[in-house]
């Protein structure tokens, strides 16, 4: 402050008609002493008396200070009543920006509001989402932490703990904080505190040998020298700290070098400074000759040379709060310059008046202070916004280990500018960041690791949103971004792959002729169809023989033809479904099978009628003609035709792409339309088969030479067994396998009928032709009749 005032007083263009003076009071970092000193400044009396002011003293333009926010708040309440300008160079608590509470307070250090915003931006920059916060129990710590929490929550960062550091030492409380940090899984801890309050905590942490944490410091301790000892190196290495930007004041080092007690004999600060750095004492009346002669205390001579010392006091590379003092003094000077250069009639006050340059009022200086804007000697713009705050600019420091390995150095690795475009407020220098343990890569600090693609986040009950489980997307859903909150459902014709990160086109599936299963069934059907075709040829060739003529050869021919058609009709079930094939395949199949079973039923009934008609005076003789068998076949088939006609007219089958039955395939199949009609069709076939089975079973022992009842019984038993097995198999399969089951049932039941009914006859015709004669039949008939008696 003294250096700046002298520099201003030498400036002929700034305040040419006025000289600045100063008074310095020590607040002792307490509100009581600060208020007492403020009253002395206001009244000009060593005994502060409210509402009293010495009229003979030069007017006081402004009060600079204090350092601590808690002390500045007390002073600002007092000065605000009188609209007396106050400029602080270090108090950063947000509440001081409230002009209703503190109308005359301004500052050259940024508000903690900006610092909290910058700290949150730094956390987001490194991708940390899981942090802890320590804040000392003061206005500075608690208000700064409150704003920081709001900023972090807006950006999706979760807070594991928010713990207050006592401003009055408490061993139990410090131990509690240490245990919270040790148990926490966070790797990043933000400390909003003064160095004095934080000192006991970090001392305890160092004793506990807690390492691997990144300490993020506010400007209250980020450049403090009390942590720069070997005791804290392992714990504090890699810390990052926000600090008010540094500045360079030309000539300041030379000013310090020229300090000498002889130049300012009444300046107690210089005298004490001299004794401190040279480890000597100025001669006084209390110093006896014995003490001097024994050199118990070194005597200051005044010939000591400051330039011979190599101490941090002369290091001009890291002036921060000092630079803010520099700007605060210049702000007052420029405000007074505007006040004194006001032209009468063009002033800002009542009736366009100006202030009296020799007897101005505090509120008049305050007016000009709020409106000043100037460029300092470093080329930086200095001004106050409507809240009395300057533009927020911070340096971001990294605590790196010195070469000696037992101390730390603070290296500027980045800067923060609140006036930059959103997202570009933090700019990193080329200087790399060093983390705890000397590693170059920043540590992770997340409650739960990022969910990979194919997974979604599921919140853990009762925990912050950053704590979650990663759950694999369900089938048919994907997530193609990391940390996805929801899974996206694939379109109907797509399905999710195994990793659930991509929708892939579903394969359209149907039983084709080209695939192995379709080829096998096709070959089997064609081969099987040759069997009844061959038997038909044999029966036609031997149609006049007794074996063929027995039991109505016309029915045998019709049954063989229906079996041939039924076997070949199974081929229509194979291949891509179409509108016509879907409509006719089940109905024609039902009608053909009904025709074949009706023929079997007719043959069975004709066996019974033939036996009954041989008895004397039998009424069955008139039923032994071909009309009865034709009626049975026609009626049995006609009922099935009616069922199928109703089915096709009301709710016919149609082709459909089924996306719900299978996950990774679209099944191209025939929807049966009315399932009731479909099962009625199959049920009617089962009814015909059951009736045929019962009639054949009851007539199996009738004494007829060529009684087919036993063979029909077995054929119907096979038929019913096949179709009863078909129903559960059909219902439990889907897609092409459902079709394959039905084709197999058609072929198996057809082969059963052929094998049981026609193979015995072919055996006689081809292998035992001697049995296929009238004489053998007659002898066989007599034998059977005698055996029956």
């Amino acid at each position: 402050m003294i250096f700046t005032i002298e520099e201003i007083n030498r400036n002929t263009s700034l305040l040419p008609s006025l000289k600045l003076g100063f008074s310095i009071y020590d607040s002792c970092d307490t509100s009581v002493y600060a208020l007492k000193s403020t009253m002395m400044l206001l009244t000009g009396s060593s005994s502060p008396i409210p509402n009293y002011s010495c009229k003979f003293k030069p007017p006081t333009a402004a009060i600079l200070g204090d350092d601590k926010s808690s002390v500045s708040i007390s002073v600002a309440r007092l000065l605000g009543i009188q609209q007396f300008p106050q400029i602080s160079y270090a108090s950063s608590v947000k509440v001081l920006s409230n002009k209703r509470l503190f109308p005359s307070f301004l500052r050259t250090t940024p508000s903690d509001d900006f610092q909290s915003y910058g700290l949150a931006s730094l956390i987001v920059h490194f991708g940390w989402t899981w942090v802890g916060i320590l804040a000392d129990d003061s206005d500075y710590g608690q208000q700064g932490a409150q704003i920081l929490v709001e900023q972090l929550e807006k950006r999706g960062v979760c807070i594991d703990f928010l713990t207050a550091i006592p401003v009055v030492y408490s061993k139990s409380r410090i131990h509690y904080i240490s245990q919270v940090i040790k148990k926490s899984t966070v790797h990043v801890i933000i400390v909003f505190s003064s160095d004095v309050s934080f000192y006991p905590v970090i001392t305890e942490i160092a004793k506990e040998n807690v390492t691997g944490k990144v300490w993020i410091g506010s400007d209250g301790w980020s450049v403090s020298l009390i942590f720069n000892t070997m005791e804290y190196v392992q714990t504090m290495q890699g810390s990052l700290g926000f600090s008010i930007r540094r500045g360079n004041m030309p000539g300041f080092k030379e000013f310090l070098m020229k300090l000498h007690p002889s130049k300012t004999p009444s300046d107690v600060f210089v005298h004490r400074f001299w004794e401190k750095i040279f480890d000597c004492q100025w001669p006084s009346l209390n110093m006896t000759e014995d003490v001097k002669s024994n050199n118990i205390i070194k005597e200051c001579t005044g010939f000591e040379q400051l330039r011979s010392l190599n101490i941090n006091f002369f290091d001009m590379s890291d002036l921060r709060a000092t630079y803010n003092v520099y700007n605060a003094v210049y702000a007052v000077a420029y405000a007074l310059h505007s006040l004194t250069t006001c032209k009468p009639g063009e002033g800002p006050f009542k009736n366009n008046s100006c202030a009296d340059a020799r007897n101005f009022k505090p509120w008049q200086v305050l007016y000009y202070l709020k409106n000043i804007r100037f460029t300092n000697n470093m080329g930086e713009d200095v001004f106050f916004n409507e809240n009395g705050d300057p533009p927020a600019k911070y340096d971001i420091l990294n605590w790196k280990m010195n070469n000696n390995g037992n101390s730390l150095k603070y290296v500027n690795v980045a800067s923060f500018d609140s006036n930059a475009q959103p997202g570009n407020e933090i700019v990193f220098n080329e200087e790399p960041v060093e983390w705890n343990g000397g590693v170059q890569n920043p540590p992770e600090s997340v409650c739960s690791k990022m969910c990979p693609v194919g997974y979604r986040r599921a919140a853990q009950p009762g925990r912050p949103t950053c704590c979650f489980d990663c759950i694999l997307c369900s089938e048919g859903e994907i997530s193609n971004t990391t940390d996805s909150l929801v899974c996206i459902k694939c379109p109907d014709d797509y399905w999710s792959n195994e990793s659930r990160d991509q929708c892939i086109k579903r394969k359209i599936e149907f039983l084709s002729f080209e695939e192995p299963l379709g080829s096998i069934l096709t070959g089997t059907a064609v081969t099987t169809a040759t069997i009844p075709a061959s038997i038909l040829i044999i029966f036609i060739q031997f149609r006049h023989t007794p074996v063929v003529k027995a039991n109505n050869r016309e029915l045998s021919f019709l049954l063989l033809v229906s079996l041939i058609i039924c076997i070949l009709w199974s081929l229509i079930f194979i291949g891509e479904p179409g509108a016509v094939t879907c409509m006719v395949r089940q109905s024609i199949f039902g009608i053909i099978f009904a025709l074949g079973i009706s023929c079997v039923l007719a043959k069975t009934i004709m066996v019974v009628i033939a036996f009954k008609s041989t008895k004397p005076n039998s009424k069955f003789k008139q039923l032994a003609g071909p009309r009865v068998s034709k009626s049975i076949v026609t009626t049995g088939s006609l009922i099935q035709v009616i069922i199928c006609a109703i089915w096709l007219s009301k709710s016919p089958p149609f082709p459909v792409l089924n996306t719900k039955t299978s996950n990774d395939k679209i099944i191209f199949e025939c929807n049966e339309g009315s399932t009731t009609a479909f099962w009625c069709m199959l049920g009617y076939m089962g009814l015909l088969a059951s009736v045929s089975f019962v009639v054949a079973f009851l007539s199996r022992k009738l004494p007829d030479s060529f009684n087919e009842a036993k063979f029909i019984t077995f054929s119907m038993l096979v038929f019913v067994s096949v179709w009863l097995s078909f129903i559960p198999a059909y219902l439990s399969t889907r897609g092409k396998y459902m079709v394959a089951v039905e084709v197999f049932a058609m072929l198996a039941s057809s082969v059963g009928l052929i094998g049981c009914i026609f193979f015995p006859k072919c055996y006689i015709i081809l292998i035992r032709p001697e049995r296929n004669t009238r004489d053998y039949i007659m002898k066989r008939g007599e034998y059977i009749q005698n055996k029956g008696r």
Side-chain angles (χ1 to χ4, degrees):
M1 185 188 72
I2 297 172
F3 161 77
T4 310
I5 289 176
E6 290 183 0
E7 183 177 83
I8 293 170
N9 287 338
R10 290 194 301 267
N11 191 335
T12 57
S13 61
L14 183 62
L15 290 178
S17 59
L18 290 180
K19 296 295 182 183
L20 296 180
F22 60 89
S23 294
I24 298 177
Y25 290 85
D26 192 354
S27 66
C28 299
D29 278 345
T30 63
S31 297
V32 173
Y33 279 94
L35 289 172
K36 180 180 179 181
S37 300
T38 302
M39 291 297 294
M40 290 180 180
L41 283 168
L42 293 177
T43 62
S45 171
S46 58
S47 299
I49 303 172
N51 299 323
Y52 169 80
S53 177
C54 179
K55 295 182 179 181
F56 302 102
K57 73 177 183 69
T60 303
I63 291 179
L64 306 187
D66 197 312
D67 184 340
K68 298 292 174 59
S69 294
S70 57
V71 178
S72 287
I73 288 174
S74 300
V75 174
R77 292 187 189 278
L78 174 63
L79 297 179
I81 297 173
Q82 302 186 35
Q83 293 285 302
F84 199 100
Q86 175 188 1
I87 305 177
S88 173
Y89 48 87
S91 299
S92 58
V93 69
K94 181 187 177 182
V95 71
L96 287 167
S97 297
N98 189 330
K99 294 302 103 180
R100 289 194 305 123
L101 298 177
F102 310 102
S104 63
F105 180 84
L106 303 98
R107 51 187 160 192
T108 51
T109 190
S111 165
D112 286 337
D113 195 3
F114 295 108
Q115 183 174 195
S116 299
Y117 179 86
L119 287 168
S121 299
L122 184 66
I123 297 299
V124 173
H125 174 83
F126 287 109
W128 296 322
T129 58
W130 186 234
V131 301
I133 300 177
L134 298 178
D136 67 14
D137 201 6
S138 66
D139 292 329
Y140 169 75
Q142 294 302 308
Q143 292 186 31
Q146 182 181 355
I147 301 167
L148 178 60
V149 169
E150 294 174 0
Q151 291 293 336
L152 290 175
E153 289 179 346
K154 284 181 182 178
R155 302 173 191 221
V157 179
C158 297
I159 299 164
D160 184 28
F161 59 85
L162 172 57
T163 306
I165 301 173
V167 292
V168 178
Y169 178 76
S170 169
K171 183 177 181 180
S172 60
R173 184 65 182 171
I174 298 301
H175 178 72
Y176 168 78
I177 294 173
S178 173
Q179 294 306 306
V180 168
I181 294 172
K182 287 181 66 176
K183 294 177 182 178
S184 175
T185 57
V186 301
H187 291 117
V188 177
I189 302 174
I190 308 170
V191 182
F192 226 110
S193 170
S194 66
D195 53 356
V196 175
S197 298
F198 184 46
Y199 178 78
V201 175
I202 204 63
T203 300
E204 182 72 15
I205 295 297
K207 287 181 181 178
E208 296 283 347
N209 196 26
V210 178
T211 58
K213 306 290 185 183
V214 177
W215 300 91
I216 308 295
S218 66
D219 59 3
W221 64 272
S222 60
V223 292
S224 176
L225 296 176
I226 63 175
F227 306 115
N228 195 6
T229 62
M230 189 173 181
E231 180 184 358
Y232 305 104
V233 167
Q234 298 299 324
T235 304
M236 302 297 288
Q237 181 189 13
S239 298
L240 291 174
F242 262 60
S243 179
I244 52 179
R245 83 279 191 229
R246 62 185 175 184
N248 181 30
M249 294 163 287
F252 185 47
K253 184 174 183 178
E254 290 300 318
F255 170 80
L256 295 178
M257 289 293 185
K258 293 178 181 178
L259 289 177
H260 198 280
S262 62
K263 294 182 179 180
T264 53
S266 61
D267 193 334
V268 295
F269 296 114
V270 175
H271 281 73
R272 290 179 183 175
F273 165 71
W274 202 268
E275 291 179 338
K276 182 72 175 177
I277 63 172
F278 289 110
D279 191 23
C280 64
Q281 184 174 333
W282 292 105
S284 65
L285 296 177
N286 297 327
M287 187 180 296
T288 65
E289 291 296 330
D290 291 337
V291 172
K292 292 180 183 179
S293 60
N294 293 328
N295 294 324
I296 297 175
I297 298 177
K298 181 181 177 183
E299 184 177 349
C300 298
T301 64
F303 292 104
E304 296 85 1
Q305 295 292 323
L306 291 177
R307 295 183 184 277
S308 65
L309 300 176
N310 183 20
I311 57 176
N312 290 331
F313 183 74
F314 299 112
D315 183 7
M316 301 291 104
S317 63
D318 199 36
L319 301 179
R320 299 182 185 278
T322 309
Y323 181 61
N324 286 343
V325 174
Y326 182 76
N327 285 332
V329 176
Y330 261 101
V332 177
Y334 273 95
L336 290 174
H337 184 79
S338 298
L339 183 147
T340 56
T341 56
C342 175
K343 295 180 181 180
E346 298 179 5
F349 307 118
K350 187 177 181 181
N351 299 324
N352 297 326
S353 62
C354 297
D356 184 354
R358 299 293 176 178
N359 191 23
F360 51 80
K361 304 298 182 184
W363 57 269
Q364 293 173 325
V365 181
L366 179 62
Y367 169 83
Y368 285 107
L369 271 173
K370 289 181 176 180
N371 293 280
I372 59 106
R373 184 169 193 142
F374 64 94
T375 302
N376 65 15
N377 293 335
M378 283 190 61
E380 181 178 333
D381 280 345
V382 179
F383 62 92
F384 303 103
N385 63 16
E386 64 277 6
N387 296 321
D389 298 324
K393 293 182 180 180
Y394 291 94
D395 290 335
I396 300 176
L397 308 178
N398 182 210
W399 291 26
K400 296 186 177 184
M401 188 177 294
N402 275 318
N403 295 331
N404 56 23
N406 56 13
S407 62
L408 297 168
K409 58 182 177 180
Y410 311 143
V411 180
N412 190 346
V413 294
S415 60
F416 172 82
D417 186 353
S418 64
N419 292 328
Q421 293 294 326
N424 298 322
E425 297 96 342
I426 295 181
V427 177
F428 276 81
N429 307 333
E430 295 181 359
E431 183 75 26
V433 177
E434 179 182 289
W435 304 101
N436 192 265
V439 298
Q440 298 299 317
N441 296 323
E444 278 191 344
S445 188
V446 294
C447 182
S448 300
K449 289 193 174 182
M450 185 181 297
C451 290
V453 293
Y455 290 77
R456 65 174 178 86
R457 290 169 52 169
Q460 296 177 357
R463 302 204 69 191
T465 55
C466 298
C467 302
F468 51 83
D469 297 317
C470 295
I471 298 178
L472 184 67
C473 290
S474 303
E475 291 184 339
E477 297 180 341
I478 66 164
S479 66
N480 52 13
T481 58
T482 55
D483 254 4
S484 179
L485 296 176
V486 294
C487 294
I488 305 170
K489 188 175 182 180
C490 291
D492 289 342
D493 54 344
Y494 284 80
W495 196 251
S496 56
N497 58 359
E498 288 187 3
S499 56
R500 306 287 199 275
D501 60 354
Q502 187 178 7
C503 287
I504 55 177
K505 188 79 173 179
R506 286 191 188 185
K507 181 182 177 182
I508 297 179
E509 181 185 81
F510 57 87
L511 186 61
S512 65
F513 291 100
E514 291 78 13
E515 62 180 294
L517 181 59
S519 300
I520 292 172
L521 291 175
T522 301
T524 303
V526 173
T527 303
T528 305
T530 61
I531 299 174
S534 301
I535 294 173
L536 179 60
I537 294 172
I538 293 171
F539 270 45
I540 292 175
Q541 186 177 354
F542 294 93
R543 63 186 179 278
H544 298 298
T545 62
V547 171
V548 177
K549 292 172 64 177
N551 302 103
N552 199 328
R553 60 186 173 186
E554 287 79 9
L555 289 177
S556 296
F557 294 157
L558 185 58
L559 177 58
L560 285 169
V561 171
S562 66
L563 289 174
I564 295 171
I565 296 173
C566 187
I567 291 171
L568 293 177
W569 190 255
S570 65
L571 297 176
I572 203 171
F573 285 81
I574 304 172
E576 184 176 344
V580 177
T581 55
C582 283
M583 182 176 292
V584 301
R585 69 179 190 177
Q586 295 286 13
S587 56
I588 298 299
F589 148 70
I591 292 171
I592 294 172
F593 250 114
L595 174 63
I597 300 173
S598 296
C599 291
V600 174
L601 179 60
K603 288 169 69 67
T604 308
I605 291 175
M606 291 309 296
V607 170
V608 176
I609 291 174
F611 173 76
K612 296 294 183 181
S613 63
T614 58
K615 294 181 179 181
N617 302 321
S618 175
K619 297 180 180 179
F620 286 92
K621 289 183 177 181
Q622 58 184 356
L623 300 176
R627 290 184 299 176
V628 175
S629 60
K630 291 179 181 179
S631 298
I632 293 172
V633 172
T634 303
T635 303
S637 302
L638 184 61
I639 294 174
Q640 187 72 296
V641 170
I642 293 172
I643 292 173
C644 291
I646 295 172
W647 180 13
L648 296 179
S649 62
K650 296 295 185 181
S651 181
F654 57 90
V656 65
L657 293 171
N658 187 345
T659 60
K660 298 180 180 179
T661 304
S662 178
N663 292 340
D664 55 348
K665 295 183 287 289
I666 298 176
I667 299 177
F668 197 7
E669 62 184 1
C670 291
N671 187 302
E672 305 303 345
S674 173
T675 54
T676 303
F678 171 70
W679 291 110
C680 284
M681 180 268 292
L682 289 180
Y684 179 69
M685 285 171 47
L687 177 63
L688 285 177
S690 300
V691 172
S692 299
F693 172 76
V694 172
V695 174
F697 180 79
L698 295 176
S699 59
R700 69 189 184 284
K701 295 183 179 181
L702 292 178
D704 191 1
S705 301
F706 290 97
N707 185 3
E708 292 183 300
K710 288 185 289 184
F711 302 119
I712 292 174
T713 300
F714 283 115
S715 67
M716 289 298 99
L717 183 62
V718 171
F719 184 89
V720 172
S721 299
V722 168
W723 286 99
L724 284 178
S725 302
F726 159 77
I727 292 174
Y730 183 82
L731 294 175
S732 62
T733 55
R734 290 291 181 271
K736 62 182 181 182
Y737 299 105
M738 178 185 285
V739 176
V741 167
E742 188 168 0
V743 171
F744 176 80
M746 293 170 66
L747 297 178
S749 57
S750 299
V751 171
L753 290 175
I754 295 169
C756 294
I757 296 177
F758 294 103
F759 280 3
K761 294 182 179 181
C762 289
Y763 174 77
I764 294 173
I765 293 172
L766 300 176
I767 307 300
R768 305 295 296 272
E770 69 276 6
R771 294 184 182 183
N772 193 13
T773 62
R774 185 176 180 80
D775 293 339
Y776 180 83
I777 292 174
M778 294 302 294
K779 292 179 181 179
R780 179 70 176 169
E782 291 176 359
Y783 170 76
I784 291 174
Q785 288 180 2
N786 291 332
K787 186 178 180 181
R789 295 189 185 96

